[in-house]
Amino acid sequence: MDDLPSRIFVWGLGRENTAFLRFLGRIGWQGTCLLYDDAQAPVDPALKELGFELEDVAAHDLRRGLASVGLVIRSPGLSAYREELQEAISAGGTVSTSTGLAMTRLDPARCIGITGTKGKSTTSTMLHHVLQSAGRKAALVGNIGKPLIDVVPETDAETLYVIELSSYQVTDLMAHPHHAILLNLFSDHLDWHHGIENYHRDKLRLVTNAEVEWCAVHGDLRARLEDQLDAEADWFCAPGGVHLDGAQIIHGSERFDASELFARFGPHMMQNACAVLTAARHLGLSWDEATAGLSTCKPLEHRQQVLELPGPVRFVNDSISTTPETALAAIDRFAGARLHLIIGGSDRGVDYSALTARLSDEGIKAVYLVGEVGARLNETLGAAAHVHHVQTLDRAMAVLEAGPGDVVLLSPAAASHDQFKNFEARGKRFAELAQALVEQQGNG
């Protein structure tokens, strides 16, 4: 690892960057690491025993510190468009994440990058499970699983790396996987990317870069992307590719009855299953091997998750929903029931017109608006009798009046950061409140 500079700037002390510091210790790096954290998080004492020098940088010395190094490793949540980072790039420095650096030290032919506005975690987990079920060595890394830098240096030459990549990580990868999956492309993270054009361009880098050799892309994007792709492309959820026909997944003459998967995951998630089967076949699995593994996949938490609670009311935790499109998909799945819908969170300037038009559907019994987005939507929806501006998730659950056969659906269509640390914390709180309601009704 003698190609690393003697001075590296690490901005942020979250999960990925602490993994990067451990990596430096693991390879015996002997330089000086400059540390800066916006939240002034304390440094884990164990990180000071890794064998290299750590130097804290004060806020007033931030720009000077960045100018003194050739490599900046940023936390993924820190926007690459920050003025200070753009200045460092203009001065000839390299800015990336630990994931970006790790990609330069792995065999790209054994790396499968997966991105999309939604469905990344489900697809990555599914593909990892399918590969392992077929007896292939596979590691689930990146935005889910362990940080990619944790597998560097490699311990064997057979492992396939299934890498979930957020737009935050794709933006400035230093090298790219030879295999890639693009699930969809909506509007999200506009504040981080400084607009939708940047967001789409950054997201598409995973399949439009010159290094990718094969990609699986949703058929809805074919007209937009076909002329931009140099790599071999398979289009799933489209005629000729792996696609859905009712509860059947089809590819040419091959068929798989996915009825149980439909019930377990919901129809929207079956698009991810089509992507997984497309990738599995590309990686050498037979149709029977791939579908056998797929049939034993289980849903992740917070993704249209029907909580296992007794009683006549179903509670659905879809806290991962941070876009209008995902909320609409959840509404579609439970459209046959009377819905009590909880919407809202931090406002990132997304267009909610399609979602708000849907909220007048006859089957939607009540809408509870929370957070910054809730306040914004209340300006246009507040006059409707079934719309309640309750501001918080706790308040929504407190005033809830759901009866037998109703579905209480948390599908916020917005990020969580105005009131929760992350979507997991929001989903966990919803589950706690649902549990308390069920217990209260049972004792009533």
Side-chain angles (χ1 to χ4, degrees):
M1 300 297 172
D2 56 2
D3 56 333
L4 287 175
S6 60
R7 288 170 62 83
I8 299 174
F9 195 106
V10 173
W11 190 337
L13 287 172
R15 171 175 168 267
E16 277 208 18
N17 278 6
T18 54
F20 174 72
L21 295 175
R22 292 194 302 269
F23 156 76
L24 293 179
R26 194 162 62 245
I27 64 173
W29 183 71
Q30 295 293 308
T32 299
C33 190
L34 281 65
L35 298 181
Y36 179 76
D37 187 80
D38 287 297
Q40 298 183 328
V43 178
D44 183 342
L47 297 177
K48 298 180 180 179
E49 308 298 327
L50 292 175
F52 55 87
E53 184 179 351
L54 293 177
E55 181 181 319
D56 289 327
V57 176
H60 65 271
D61 279 333
L62 176 59
R63 279 184 162 86
R64 183 164 56 184
L66 290 169
S68 73
V69 302
L71 175 63
V72 179
I73 299 297
R74 60 173 182 83
S75 288
L78 175 69
S79 175
Y81 293 92
R82 280 280 294 259
E83 182 179 329
E84 301 93 335
L85 293 179
Q86 290 296 307
E87 290 175 0
I89 294 170
S90 296
T94 297
V95 175
S96 189
T97 61
S98 73
T99 297
L101 180 73
M103 275 303 309
T104 68
R105 284 149 171 80
L106 294 172
D107 178 0
R110 290 186 288 111
C111 294
I112 307 101
I114 300 172
T115 200
T117 304
K118 286 299 166 187
K120 299 181 294 295
S121 294
T122 295
T123 304
S124 300
T125 304
M126 278 182 166
L127 180 57
H128 177 250
H129 176 81
V130 166
L131 290 169
Q132 288 198 320
S133 296
R136 302 287 290 275
K137 284 187 176 182
L140 181 62
V141 288
N143 209 41
I144 192 172
K146 65 171 62 178
L148 188 60
I149 197 71
D150 274 348
V151 304
V152 179
E154 289 188 90
T155 56
D156 68 74
E158 297 179 8
T159 298
L160 292 170
Y161 296 104
V162 181
I163 312 169
E164 181 192 336
L165 293 167
S166 70
S167 60
Y168 300 169
Q169 295 162 320
V170 175
T171 294
D172 48 18
L173 284 176
M174 298 169 69
H176 296 83
H178 282 181
H179 316 276
I181 300 175
L182 177 62
L183 297 166
N184 44 53
L185 192 63
F186 304 135
S187 174
D188 203 3
H189 305 302
L190 303 189
D191 50 348
W192 193 100
H193 291 271
H194 292 198
I196 192 168
E197 290 185 6
N198 286 345
Y199 171 67
H200 284 184
R201 184 187 64 246
D202 292 340
K203 201 73 162 172
L204 292 174
R205 282 196 173 103
L206 189 65
V207 295
T208 59
N209 72 84
E211 299 166 60
V212 65
E213 296 180 356
W214 172 89
C215 58
V217 183
H218 197 293
D220 285 351
L221 296 170
R222 186 166 191 164
R224 173 175 179 174
L225 294 181
E226 192 165 24
D227 292 341
Q228 299 182 41
L229 301 180
D230 294 326
E232 175 189 353
D234 284 332
W235 306 91
F236 61 91
C237 293
V242 179
H243 64 280
L244 299 168
D245 182 7
Q248 300 278 316
I249 300 180
I250 300 172
H251 186 219
S253 61
E254 298 171 309
R255 288 178 169 264
F256 171 62
D257 184 352
S259 301
E260 292 186 6
L261 277 183
F262 264 76
R264 205 179 308 152
F265 284 88
H268 183 64
M269 295 291 184
M270 291 301 93
Q271 298 182 43
N272 302 329
C274 290
V276 167
L277 288 179
T278 303
R281 295 304 307 280
H282 168 71
L283 295 170
L285 272 63
S286 70
W287 181 260
D288 288 344
E289 285 178 319
T291 54
L294 191 63
S295 67
T296 57
C297 288
K298 297 180 179 178
L300 298 175
E301 291 184 314
H302 313 295
R303 293 155 175 86
Q304 296 185 13
Q305 176 193 9
V306 181
L307 301 180
E308 296 182 1
L309 296 172
V313 177
R314 282 187 293 169
F315 294 88
V316 181
N317 171 16
D318 192 34
S319 184
I320 189 66
S321 166
T322 58
T323 67
E325 290 84 0
T326 51
L328 286 167
I331 292 170
D332 285 340
R333 179 179 177 183
F334 299 98
R338 289 173 299 182
L339 282 176
H340 300 254
L341 183 61
I342 303 172
I343 289 179
S346 56
D347 191 351
R348 297 184 290 192
V350 174
D351 181 4
Y352 285 95
S353 57
L355 178 59
T356 54
R358 186 72 181 277
L359 297 182
S360 61
D361 282 8
E362 184 177 343
I364 299 179
K365 186 175 180 181
V367 178
Y368 303 91
L369 302 176
V370 303
E372 296 170 358
V373 166
R376 173 180 159 193
L377 297 185
N378 187 56
E379 296 178 3
T380 55
L381 296 171
H386 71 305
V387 174
H388 312 281
H389 184 205
V390 293
Q391 299 182 326
T392 68
L393 176 59
D394 281 45
R395 180 61 181 162
M397 297 296 280
V399 301
L400 190 69
E401 294 183 359
D406 290 3
V407 170
V408 179
L409 173 61
L410 170 68
S411 193
S416 59
H417 304 302
D418 58 340
Q419 296 184 356
F420 294 93
K421 179 181 179 180
N422 50 41
F423 74 84
E424 293 97 339
R426 177 170 62 187
K428 181 180 178 181
R429 182 57 181 162
F430 174 73
E432 291 171 348
L433 293 168
Q435 176 73 46
L437 273 177
V438 169
E439 291 176 354
Q440 179 183 345
Q441 291 167 357
N443 296 328

Short mmCIF file of all heavy atoms in Angstrom, two decimals, residues 134-189:
data_model
loop_
_atom_site.label_atom_id
_atom_site.label_comp_id
_atom_site.label_asym_id
_atom_site.label_seq_id
_atom_site.Cartn_x
_atom_site.Cartn_y
_atom_site.Cartn_z
N ALA A 134 -26.49 -21.18 -3.82
CA ALA A 134 -25.97 -22.00 -4.93
C ALA A 134 -24.53 -22.45 -4.69
O ALA A 134 -23.90 -23.01 -5.59
CB ALA A 134 -26.05 -21.21 -6.23
N GLY A 135 -24.01 -22.19 -3.50
CA GLY A 135 -22.67 -22.64 -3.15
C GLY A 135 -21.55 -21.72 -3.57
O GLY A 135 -20.38 -22.10 -3.52
N ARG A 136 -21.89 -20.47 -3.96
CA ARG A 136 -20.85 -19.51 -4.35
C ARG A 136 -20.39 -18.72 -3.14
O ARG A 136 -21.20 -18.38 -2.26
CB ARG A 136 -21.40 -18.55 -5.42
CG ARG A 136 -21.91 -19.23 -6.68
CD ARG A 136 -20.80 -19.78 -7.54
NE ARG A 136 -20.03 -18.71 -8.16
CZ ARG A 136 -20.37 -18.11 -9.30
NH1 ARG A 136 -21.46 -18.49 -9.96
NH2 ARG A 136 -19.62 -17.17 -9.81
N LYS A 137 -19.10 -18.39 -3.08
CA LYS A 137 -18.60 -17.51 -2.03
C LYS A 137 -19.02 -16.08 -2.36
O LYS A 137 -18.73 -15.58 -3.45
CB LYS A 137 -17.07 -17.59 -1.96
CG LYS A 137 -16.52 -18.84 -1.31
CD LYS A 137 -15.01 -18.71 -1.14
CE LYS A 137 -14.43 -19.90 -0.41
NZ LYS A 137 -12.97 -19.74 -0.22
N ALA A 138 -19.68 -15.44 -1.42
CA ALA A 138 -20.16 -14.08 -1.66
C ALA A 138 -20.14 -13.29 -0.36
O ALA A 138 -20.41 -13.84 0.71
CB ALA A 138 -21.57 -14.11 -2.24
N ALA A 139 -19.83 -12.02 -0.47
CA ALA A 139 -19.83 -11.11 0.68
C ALA A 139 -20.80 -9.98 0.40
O ALA A 139 -20.81 -9.41 -0.69
CB ALA A 139 -18.43 -10.56 0.93
N LEU A 140 -21.62 -9.64 1.39
CA LEU A 140 -22.56 -8.52 1.30
C LEU A 140 -21.92 -7.32 1.96
O LEU A 140 -21.68 -7.30 3.16
CB LEU A 140 -23.87 -8.89 2.00
CG LEU A 140 -24.98 -7.84 1.99
CD1 LEU A 140 -25.43 -7.53 0.57
CD2 LEU A 140 -26.16 -8.32 2.83
N VAL A 141 -21.62 -6.30 1.17
CA VAL A 141 -20.81 -5.18 1.64
C VAL A 141 -21.35 -3.86 1.08
O VAL A 141 -22.24 -3.83 0.24
CB VAL A 141 -19.33 -5.35 1.22
CG1 VAL A 141 -18.65 -6.45 2.02
CG2 VAL A 141 -19.22 -5.64 -0.27
N GLY A 142 -20.76 -2.77 1.59
CA GLY A 142 -21.14 -1.45 1.08
C GLY A 142 -22.11 -0.75 2.01
O GLY A 142 -21.92 -0.71 3.23
N ASN A 143 -23.18 -0.23 1.42
CA ASN A 143 -24.16 0.52 2.19
C ASN A 143 -24.95 -0.37 3.14
O ASN A 143 -25.61 0.10 4.06
CB ASN A 143 -25.12 1.25 1.23
CG ASN A 143 -25.67 2.52 1.82
OD1 ASN A 143 -24.95 3.28 2.46
ND2 ASN A 143 -26.94 2.77 1.62
N ILE A 144 -24.93 -1.68 2.89
CA ILE A 144 -25.52 -2.66 3.78
C ILE A 144 -24.44 -3.71 4.05
O ILE A 144 -23.54 -3.90 3.25
CB ILE A 144 -26.78 -3.32 3.17
CG1 ILE A 144 -27.56 -4.12 4.23
CG2 ILE A 144 -26.44 -4.17 1.97
CD1 ILE A 144 -28.91 -4.63 3.73
N GLY A 145 -24.54 -4.40 5.18
CA GLY A 145 -23.47 -5.32 5.52
C GLY A 145 -22.28 -4.55 6.06
O GLY A 145 -22.41 -3.47 6.62
N LYS A 146 -21.08 -5.09 5.88
CA LYS A 146 -19.88 -4.43 6.39
C LYS A 146 -19.36 -3.41 5.39
O LYS A 146 -19.58 -3.55 4.18
CB LYS A 146 -18.79 -5.45 6.71
CG LYS A 146 -18.26 -6.20 5.52
CD LYS A 146 -17.03 -7.05 5.86
CE LYS A 146 -17.33 -8.12 6.86
NZ LYS A 146 -16.14 -8.96 7.14
N PRO A 147 -18.68 -2.35 5.87
CA PRO A 147 -18.07 -1.40 4.93
C PRO A 147 -17.12 -2.13 3.98
O PRO A 147 -16.41 -3.06 4.38
CB PRO A 147 -17.31 -0.45 5.86
CG PRO A 147 -18.03 -0.53 7.17
CD PRO A 147 -18.49 -1.96 7.28
N LEU A 148 -17.09 -1.71 2.73
CA LEU A 148 -16.26 -2.38 1.73
C LEU A 148 -14.79 -2.38 2.12
O LEU A 148 -14.07 -3.34 1.86
CB LEU A 148 -16.46 -1.71 0.37
CG LEU A 148 -15.81 -2.40 -0.83
CD1 LEU A 148 -16.34 -3.82 -0.99
CD2 LEU A 148 -16.04 -1.60 -2.11
N ILE A 149 -14.34 -1.31 2.78
CA ILE A 149 -12.93 -1.21 3.15
C ILE A 149 -12.55 -2.31 4.14
O ILE A 149 -11.37 -2.67 4.25
CB ILE A 149 -12.62 0.19 3.74
CG1 ILE A 149 -11.12 0.47 3.74
CG2 ILE A 149 -13.23 0.37 5.12
CD1 ILE A 149 -10.53 0.70 2.39
N ASP A 150 -13.52 -2.91 4.81
CA ASP A 150 -13.22 -3.96 5.79
C ASP A 150 -12.73 -5.25 5.13
O ASP A 150 -12.16 -6.11 5.81
CB ASP A 150 -14.46 -4.28 6.64
CG ASP A 150 -14.60 -3.37 7.85
OD1 ASP A 150 -13.63 -2.65 8.15
OD2 ASP A 150 -15.67 -3.37 8.49
N VAL A 151 -12.98 -5.43 3.83
CA VAL A 151 -12.54 -6.67 3.16
C VAL A 151 -11.19 -6.47 2.46
O VAL A 151 -10.71 -7.38 1.79
CB VAL A 151 -13.59 -7.18 2.16
CG1 VAL A 151 -14.92 -7.39 2.85
CG2 VAL A 151 -13.74 -6.24 0.96
N VAL A 152 -10.59 -5.31 2.65
CA VAL A 152 -9.29 -5.01 2.04
C VAL A 152 -8.20 -5.06 3.11
O VAL A 152 -8.38 -4.50 4.19
CB VAL A 152 -9.32 -3.61 1.38
CG1 VAL A 152 -7.97 -3.28 0.76
CG2 VAL A 152 -10.43 -3.53 0.33
N PRO A 153 -7.06 -5.70 2.86
CA PRO A 153 -6.72 -6.51 1.69
C PRO A 153 -7.53 -7.80 1.63
O PRO A 153 -7.95 -8.32 2.67
CB PRO A 153 -5.22 -6.82 1.91
CG PRO A 153 -4.75 -5.88 2.95
CD PRO A 153 -5.94 -5.59 3.81
N GLU A 154 -7.70 -8.33 0.43
CA GLU A 154 -8.50 -9.53 0.24
C GLU A 154 -7.84 -10.75 0.87
O GLU A 154 -6.62 -10.84 0.96
CB GLU A 154 -8.69 -9.80 -1.25
CG GLU A 154 -9.60 -8.83 -1.94
CD GLU A 154 -9.89 -9.27 -3.36
OE1 GLU A 154 -10.87 -10.01 -3.54
OE2 GLU A 154 -9.14 -8.89 -4.27
N THR A 155 -8.68 -11.70 1.31
CA THR A 155 -8.17 -12.92 1.92
C THR A 155 -8.25 -14.12 0.96
O THR A 155 -7.64 -15.15 1.22
CB THR A 155 -8.95 -13.26 3.19
OG1 THR A 155 -10.35 -13.35 2.88
CG2 THR A 155 -8.74 -12.19 4.25
N ASP A 156 -9.01 -14.01 -0.12
CA ASP A 156 -9.05 -15.08 -1.11
C ASP A 156 -9.41 -14.49 -2.47
O ASP A 156 -9.77 -13.32 -2.56
CB ASP A 156 -10.05 -16.18 -0.72
CG ASP A 156 -11.49 -15.70 -0.77
OD1 ASP A 156 -12.01 -15.53 -1.90
OD2 ASP A 156 -12.11 -15.50 0.29
N ALA A 157 -9.29 -15.31 -3.49
CA ALA A 157 -9.51 -14.82 -4.86
C ALA A 157 -10.77 -15.39 -5.48
O ALA A 157 -10.90 -15.39 -6.70
CB ALA A 157 -8.30 -15.16 -5.72
N GLU A 158 -11.70 -15.87 -4.65
CA GLU A 158 -12.92 -16.47 -5.19
C GLU A 158 -14.19 -15.71 -4.81
O GLU A 158 -15.21 -15.86 -5.47
CB GLU A 158 -13.05 -17.92 -4.69
CG GLU A 158 -11.93 -18.83 -5.15
CD GLU A 158 -12.08 -20.24 -4.61
OE1 GLU A 158 -13.14 -20.53 -4.00
OE2 GLU A 158 -11.15 -21.04 -4.79
N THR A 159 -14.13 -14.92 -3.76
CA THR A 159 -15.33 -14.26 -3.26
C THR A 159 -15.89 -13.26 -4.27
O THR A 159 -15.15 -12.46 -4.86
CB THR A 159 -15.03 -13.54 -1.94
OG1 THR A 159 -14.61 -14.50 -0.97
CG2 THR A 159 -16.25 -12.80 -1.42
N LEU A 160 -17.19 -13.31 -4.45
CA LEU A 160 -17.91 -12.28 -5.20
C LEU A 160 -18.39 -11.22 -4.22
O LEU A 160 -18.95 -11.55 -3.17
CB LEU A 160 -19.10 -12.89 -5.93
CG LEU A 160 -18.80 -13.84 -7.08
CD1 LEU A 160 -20.07 -14.54 -7.54
CD2 LEU A 160 -18.17 -13.08 -8.25
N TYR A 161 -18.17 -9.96 -4.55
CA TYR A 161 -18.57 -8.87 -3.67
C TYR A 161 -19.86 -8.25 -4.18
O TYR A 161 -19.88 -7.66 -5.26
CB TYR A 161 -17.45 -7.83 -3.57
CG TYR A 161 -16.20 -8.40 -2.95
CD1 TYR A 161 -15.10 -8.73 -3.74
CD2 TYR A 161 -16.12 -8.65 -1.58
CE1 TYR A 161 -13.96 -9.28 -3.19
CE2 TYR A 161 -14.98 -9.20 -1.01
CZ TYR A 161 -13.90 -9.51 -1.82
OH TYR A 161 -12.78 -10.06 -1.26
N VAL A 162 -20.93 -8.41 -3.42
CA VAL A 162 -22.22 -7.80 -3.72
C VAL A 162 -22.25 -6.48 -2.98
O VAL A 162 -22.35 -6.45 -1.75
CB VAL A 162 -23.39 -8.71 -3.29
CG1 VAL A 162 -24.72 -8.06 -3.64
CG2 VAL A 162 -23.27 -10.08 -3.97
N ILE A 163 -22.16 -5.38 -3.71
CA ILE A 163 -21.92 -4.07 -3.11
C ILE A 163 -23.12 -3.15 -3.30
O ILE A 163 -23.42 -2.72 -4.42
CB ILE A 163 -20.68 -3.40 -3.73
CG1 ILE A 163 -19.50 -4.38 -3.80
CG2 ILE A 163 -20.29 -2.16 -2.94
CD1 ILE A 163 -18.34 -3.88 -4.64
N GLU A 164 -23.82 -2.86 -2.22
CA GLU A 164 -24.87 -1.85 -2.29
C GLU A 164 -24.22 -0.47 -2.28
O GLU A 164 -23.43 -0.16 -1.38
CB GLU A 164 -25.85 -1.95 -1.12
CG GLU A 164 -26.94 -0.90 -1.22
CD GLU A 164 -27.78 -0.74 0.04
OE1 GLU A 164 -27.85 -1.69 0.83
OE2 GLU A 164 -28.35 0.36 0.20
N LEU A 165 -24.55 0.35 -3.24
CA LEU A 165 -23.94 1.67 -3.39
C LEU A 165 -25.01 2.76 -3.43
O LEU A 165 -25.88 2.75 -4.30
CB LEU A 165 -23.11 1.72 -4.68
CG LEU A 165 -21.87 0.83 -4.71
CD1 LEU A 165 -21.33 0.72 -6.13
CD2 LEU A 165 -20.80 1.36 -3.77
N SER A 166 -24.94 3.66 -2.49
CA SER A 166 -25.82 4.83 -2.52
C SER A 166 -25.27 5.84 -3.51
O SER A 166 -24.11 5.76 -3.94
CB SER A 166 -25.90 5.46 -1.13
OG SER A 166 -24.67 6.09 -0.80
N SER A 167 -26.08 6.82 -3.85
CA SER A 167 -25.60 7.89 -4.74
C SER A 167 -24.45 8.63 -4.09
O SER A 167 -23.56 9.14 -4.78
CB SER A 167 -26.74 8.86 -5.05
OG SER A 167 -27.25 9.45 -3.86
N TYR A 168 -24.43 8.68 -2.75
CA TYR A 168 -23.34 9.35 -2.03
C TYR A 168 -22.00 8.66 -2.32
O TYR A 168 -20.95 9.31 -2.33
CB TYR A 168 -23.58 9.30 -0.53
CG TYR A 168 -24.84 9.96 -0.02
CD1 TYR A 168 -25.24 9.75 1.30
CD2 TYR A 168 -25.63 10.77 -0.82
CE1 TYR A 168 -26.38 10.35 1.81
CE2 TYR A 168 -26.78 11.36 -0.32
CZ TYR A 168 -27.15 11.14 0.99
OH TYR A 168 -28.29 11.72 1.51
N GLN A 169 -22.05 7.35 -2.51
CA GLN A 169 -20.82 6.58 -2.75
C GLN A 169 -20.46 6.51 -4.23
O GLN A 169 -19.28 6.53 -4.58
CB GLN A 169 -20.98 5.18 -2.17
CG GLN A 169 -21.13 5.17 -0.66
CD GLN A 169 -21.72 3.87 -0.13
OE1 GLN A 169 -22.63 3.30 -0.74
NE2 GLN A 169 -21.21 3.38 0.98
N VAL A 170 -21.47 6.42 -5.09
CA VAL A 170 -21.20 6.32 -6.53
C VAL A 170 -20.58 7.61 -7.06
O VAL A 170 -19.76 7.58 -7.99
CB VAL A 170 -22.50 6.00 -7.30
CG1 VAL A 170 -22.26 6.01 -8.81
CG2 VAL A 170 -23.06 4.65 -6.88
N THR A 171 -20.93 8.74 -6.47
CA THR A 171 -20.54 10.06 -6.99
C THR A 171 -19.06 10.16 -7.31
O THR A 171 -18.68 10.69 -8.36
CB THR A 171 -20.94 11.15 -5.98
OG1 THR A 171 -22.36 11.19 -5.88
CG2 THR A 171 -20.43 12.52 -6.40
N ASP A 172 -18.20 9.66 -6.41
CA ASP A 172 -16.76 9.84 -6.64
C ASP A 172 -15.98 8.55 -6.42
O ASP A 172 -14.91 8.55 -5.82
CB ASP A 172 -16.19 10.98 -5.77
CG ASP A 172 -16.62 10.87 -4.31
OD1 ASP A 172 -17.06 9.78 -3.89
OD2 ASP A 172 -16.50 11.88 -3.58
N LEU A 173 -16.53 7.42 -6.91
CA LEU A 173 -15.77 6.17 -6.89
C LEU A 173 -14.45 6.36 -7.64
O LEU A 173 -14.41 6.98 -8.70
CB LEU A 173 -16.57 5.05 -7.56
CG LEU A 173 -17.73 4.42 -6.78
CD1 LEU A 173 -18.45 3.40 -7.65
CD2 LEU A 173 -17.24 3.77 -5.48
N MET A 174 -13.39 5.79 -7.10
CA MET A 174 -12.08 5.89 -7.74
C MET A 174 -11.85 4.77 -8.75
O MET A 174 -10.93 4.83 -9.57
CB MET A 174 -10.98 5.88 -6.68
CG MET A 174 -11.09 7.06 -5.72
SD MET A 174 -10.02 6.91 -4.27
CE MET A 174 -8.40 7.11 -5.02
N ALA A 175 -12.65 3.71 -8.68
CA ALA A 175 -12.67 2.62 -9.65
C ALA A 175 -14.07 2.02 -9.60
O ALA A 175 -14.81 2.25 -8.63
CB ALA A 175 -11.61 1.57 -9.33
N HIS A 176 -14.45 1.26 -10.63
CA HIS A 176 -15.83 0.82 -10.74
C HIS A 176 -15.94 -0.69 -10.90
O HIS A 176 -15.08 -1.32 -11.52
CB HIS A 176 -16.51 1.50 -11.94
CG HIS A 176 -16.62 2.99 -11.80
ND1 HIS A 176 -15.58 3.82 -12.12
CD2 HIS A 176 -17.64 3.77 -11.37
CE1 HIS A 176 -15.95 5.08 -11.89
NE2 HIS A 176 -17.19 5.07 -11.43
N PRO A 177 -17.02 -1.28 -10.36
CA PRO A 177 -17.26 -2.71 -10.57
C PRO A 177 -17.46 -3.01 -12.06
O PRO A 177 -17.98 -2.18 -12.80
CB PRO A 177 -18.56 -2.97 -9.79
CG PRO A 177 -18.71 -1.81 -8.86
CD PRO A 177 -18.07 -0.65 -9.54
N HIS A 178 -17.07 -4.21 -12.47
CA HIS A 178 -17.30 -4.61 -13.86
C HIS A 178 -18.74 -5.05 -14.10
O HIS A 178 -19.17 -5.14 -15.25
CB HIS A 178 -16.35 -5.74 -14.25
CG HIS A 178 -14.97 -5.27 -14.55
ND1 HIS A 178 -13.96 -6.11 -14.94
CD2 HIS A 178 -14.42 -4.02 -14.52
CE1 HIS A 178 -12.85 -5.41 -15.14
NE2 HIS A 178 -13.10 -4.15 -14.88
N HIS A 179 -19.48 -5.32 -13.02
CA HIS A 179 -20.88 -5.74 -13.13
C HIS A 179 -21.72 -4.75 -12.32
O HIS A 179 -21.34 -4.40 -11.18
CB HIS A 179 -21.08 -7.15 -12.58
CG HIS A 179 -20.02 -8.11 -13.01
ND1 HIS A 179 -20.06 -8.78 -14.22
CD2 HIS A 179 -18.88 -8.51 -12.40
CE1 HIS A 179 -19.00 -9.54 -14.32
NE2 HIS A 179 -18.27 -9.40 -13.24
N ALA A 180 -22.85 -4.32 -12.86
CA ALA A 180 -23.64 -3.30 -12.18
C ALA A 180 -25.13 -3.54 -12.40
O ALA A 180 -25.54 -4.08 -13.44
CB ALA A 180 -23.26 -1.91 -12.69
N ILE A 181 -25.92 -3.15 -11.42
CA ILE A 181 -27.38 -3.21 -11.51
C ILE A 181 -27.93 -1.83 -11.20
O ILE A 181 -27.60 -1.23 -10.17
CB ILE A 181 -27.96 -4.23 -10.51
CG1 ILE A 181 -27.43 -5.63 -10.78
CG2 ILE A 181 -29.49 -4.23 -10.57
CD1 ILE A 181 -27.86 -6.67 -9.75
N LEU A 182 -28.77 -1.32 -12.09
CA LEU A 182 -29.49 -0.07 -11.86
C LEU A 182 -30.97 -0.39 -11.77
O LEU A 182 -31.58 -0.83 -12.75
CB LEU A 182 -29.22 0.93 -12.99
CG LEU A 182 -29.98 2.26 -12.90
CD1 LEU A 182 -29.60 3.04 -11.65
CD2 LEU A 182 -29.73 3.10 -14.15
N LEU A 183 -31.55 -0.18 -10.60
CA LEU A 183 -32.93 -0.62 -10.34
C LEU A 183 -33.98 0.36 -10.81
O LEU A 183 -35.03 -0.03 -11.32
CB LEU A 183 -33.10 -0.87 -8.83
CG LEU A 183 -32.22 -1.97 -8.26
CD1 LEU A 183 -32.21 -1.89 -6.74
CD2 LEU A 183 -32.72 -3.33 -8.73
N ASN A 184 -33.75 1.63 -10.63
CA ASN A 184 -34.74 2.66 -10.94
C ASN A 184 -34.07 4.02 -10.78
O ASN A 184 -32.92 4.11 -10.31
CB ASN A 184 -35.98 2.55 -10.03
CG ASN A 184 -35.60 2.30 -8.58
OD1 ASN A 184 -34.81 3.03 -7.99
ND2 ASN A 184 -36.15 1.24 -7.99
N LEU A 185 -34.78 5.06 -11.11
CA LEU A 185 -34.23 6.41 -11.00
C LEU A 185 -35.38 7.38 -10.81
O LEU A 185 -36.11 7.70 -11.75
CB LEU A 185 -33.43 6.76 -12.26
CG LEU A 185 -32.56 8.02 -12.18
CD1 LEU A 185 -31.48 7.87 -11.12
CD2 LEU A 185 -31.91 8.30 -13.53
N PHE A 186 -35.53 7.84 -9.55
CA PHE A 186 -36.57 8.80 -9.22
C PHE A 186 -35.91 10.11 -8.79
O PHE A 186 -34.84 10.47 -9.28
CB PHE A 186 -37.47 8.25 -8.12
CG PHE A 186 -38.10 6.91 -8.44
CD1 PHE A 186 -38.12 5.90 -7.50
CD2 PHE A 186 -38.64 6.66 -9.69
CE1 PHE A 186 -38.68 4.67 -7.78
CE2 PHE A 186 -39.22 5.44 -10.00
CZ PHE A 186 -39.24 4.44 -9.03
N SER A 187 -36.54 10.80 -7.89
CA SER A 187 -36.03 12.07 -7.37
C SER A 187 -35.78 11.92 -5.87
O SER A 187 -36.69 11.60 -5.12
CB SER A 187 -37.04 13.19 -7.64
OG SER A 187 -36.63 14.39 -7.02
N ASP A 188 -34.54 12.11 -5.45
CA ASP A 188 -34.20 11.96 -4.03
C ASP A 188 -32.87 12.66 -3.77
O ASP A 188 -32.10 12.95 -4.68
CB ASP A 188 -34.10 10.47 -3.68
CG ASP A 188 -34.31 10.19 -2.20
OD1 ASP A 188 -34.59 11.14 -1.45
OD2 ASP A 188 -34.22 9.02 -1.80
N HIS A 189 -32.61 12.94 -2.50
CA HIS A 189 -31.32 13.50 -2.07
C HIS A 189 -30.94 14.76 -2.84
O HIS A 189 -29.75 15.00 -3.11
CB HIS A 189 -30.21 12.46 -2.22
CG HIS A 189 -30.48 11.17 -1.52
ND1 HIS A 189 -30.71 11.09 -0.17
CD2 HIS A 189 -30.57 9.89 -2.00
CE1 HIS A 189 -30.92 9.82 0.17
NE2 HIS A 189 -30.86 9.08 -0.92
#
